[in-house]
Amino acid sequence: MSPSISSTQPRSTQSGDLLQGTLDLLILKTLALEPMHGWGVAQRIQQVSKDALQIGQGSLYPALHRLEYRGWIKAEWASSENNRRAKFYSLTAAGRRQLKAQVKNWGRIAAAIARVLEGEAPA
């Protein structure tokens, strides 16, 4: 059984975080699909990543509050699927714009990292 990971990182890696801002991108992308409560966001990321990424509460909820403060998501209280009151988060128009910008930036970063890993020399 693998130990719990409290930040967004590959399950097989026990030290170091993914690039700063990756958690925000993952949350924004997840909420672009549908509004959901915080625990649902964490579960969806874990499920879609095939258990490679786990988001601990100590990372998830501060990130949700930060995104809400920036106006990229909004929160509303509602009943969850098990009839408990929970905060449901959804993307705002500003959040959709931010997601688009972050996805574009992620593509540039991923390509740059791939070039470094492949050892390509600059043209």
Side-chain angles (χ1 to χ4, degrees), residues 25-39:
L25 174 60
L26 294 172
I27 292 171
L28 291 173
K29 178 61 178 175
T30 301
L31 291 176
L33 303 172
E34 65 180 310
M36 61 183 68
H37 53 78
W39 181 245

Side-chain angles (χ1 to χ4, degrees), residues 34-122:
E34 65 180 310
M36 61 183 68
H37 53 78
W39 181 245
V41 170
Q43 288 180 316
R44 175 73 56 90
I45 292 169
Q46 183 175 343
Q47 177 186 33
V48 172
S49 73
K50 297 182 180 179
D51 293 327
L53 301 174
Q54 293 183 5
I55 316 278
Q57 290 183 11
S59 298
L60 176 66
Y61 290 101
L64 288 168
H65 292 127
R66 181 176 58 253
L67 295 174
E68 187 177 10
Y69 177 78
R70 291 179 177 164
W72 298 342
I73 64 174
K74 64 181 179 178
E76 295 179 4
W77 287 98
S79 292
S80 67
E81 56 277 355
N82 59 6
N83 245 2
R84 291 186 174 169
R85 270 182 62 75
K87 250 188 187 180
F88 279 75
Y89 298 91
S90 60
L91 222 49
T92 64
R96 290 191 190 287
R97 289 189 299 274
Q98 182 64 24
L99 173 59
K100 186 176 179 179
Q102 285 191 12
V103 167
K104 186 176 180 180
N105 189 50
W106 179 257
R108 285 192 298 267
I109 291 170
I113 291 171
R115 286 191 300 273
V116 170
L117 293 177
E118 292 167 2
E120 289 184 16

